[in-house]
Amino acid sequence: MEAPLSSTLDEPVRHTVTVPVPEEMREVGRRLAGLLRPGDLVLLTGELGAGKTTLTRGLGEGLGVRGAVTSPTFVIARVHPALDAGPALVHVDAYRLGGGLDEMEDLDLDVSLPESVVVVEWGEGKVEELSEDRLSIVIERAVGGESTGGAEGEEESDVRTVTVTGLGARWAGADLSVLSVA
């Protein structure tokens, strides 16, 4: 596990977490929820079955939103309203969207962003224009891990490495080490 790098307004802050089991990926999401506030944009990158939806499920639990957080692959986006005074969670899957922000314009993410936490799976190269301040989360599988073949590949037992990078003034100096699972 790496310690967070120091950051100025021009430098991203970065933290890496090793996640050996899916329940700990959910815990990373729950911990991430404690750092997020309305207007935050989170981009998730990782191969199919890496754990993007599992992390988002934990994020939804941590934010206290309504409804089960499931993959929005076929509906493109799901909105999970807050059960209390917290922000709603807008969960987007941009996998089938080939273009950039123009193609996603119908989703009105720019309208949803100020009062919600917006999480975009497969969003790299597509939605960065929404905000200079964002979290980029890359989930990688350890080479040679054994698979147990769970649903959508996310219930597999191989180890993941999660690298969280905070970009922009919003994340300058943020302590991302709170994402580490003991």
Side-chain angles (χ1 to χ4, degrees):
M1 218 172 299
E2 291 180 12
L5 301 175
S6 62
S7 157
T8 66
L9 291 179
D10 297 343
E11 297 176 23
V13 61
R14 182 172 289 120
H15 185 71
T16 300
V17 179
T18 301
V19 180
V21 295
E23 183 51 43
E24 287 189 20
M25 185 68 78
R26 285 176 80 152
E27 181 59 26
V28 170
R30 286 188 285 269
R31 290 170 184 246
L32 178 61
L35 297 176
L36 297 175
R37 62 184 186 213
D40 283 340
L41 174 63
V42 179
L43 305 182
L44 295 177
T45 303
E47 64 186 37
L48 286 171
K52 298 179 297 295
T53 300
T54 301
L55 185 141
T56 307
R57 195 169 290 129
L59 179 61
E61 292 168 5
L63 289 174
V65 299
R66 186 169 13 128
V69 175
T70 59
S71 177
T73 299
F74 298 106
V75 295
I76 310 296
R78 294 184 195 276
V79 177
H80 298 275
L83 290 172
D84 55 25
L89 171 64
V90 178
H91 185 196
V92 179
D93 187 327
Y95 182 74
R96 295 185 299 138
L97 302 176
L101 196 54
D102 291 340
E103 187 172 343
M104 298 186 73
E105 194 170 279
D106 289 341
L107 299 177
D108 288 332
L109 294 180
D110 54 336
V111 173
S112 300
L113 188 58
E115 70 271 356
S116 305
V117 169
V118 176
V119 175
V120 183
E121 295 186 26
W122 305 98
E124 187 174 307
K126 298 178 182 176
V127 297
E128 288 90 341
E129 296 172 31
L130 283 173
S131 179
E132 291 181 11
D133 300 314
R134 62 189 174 277
L135 281 180
S136 172
I137 301 176
V138 178
I139 304 171
E140 299 173 308
R141 285 186 173 154
V143 176
E146 290 188 25
S147 170
T148 58
E152 294 184 51
E154 291 189 351
E155 300 302 322
E156 297 179 355
S157 62
D158 48 341
V159 174
R160 271 59 164 175
T161 300
V162 179
T163 303
V164 181
T165 305
L167 301 161
R170 159 78 172 94
W171 297 103
D175 182 9
L176 299 178
S177 67
V178 300
L179 300 176
S180 295
V181 181

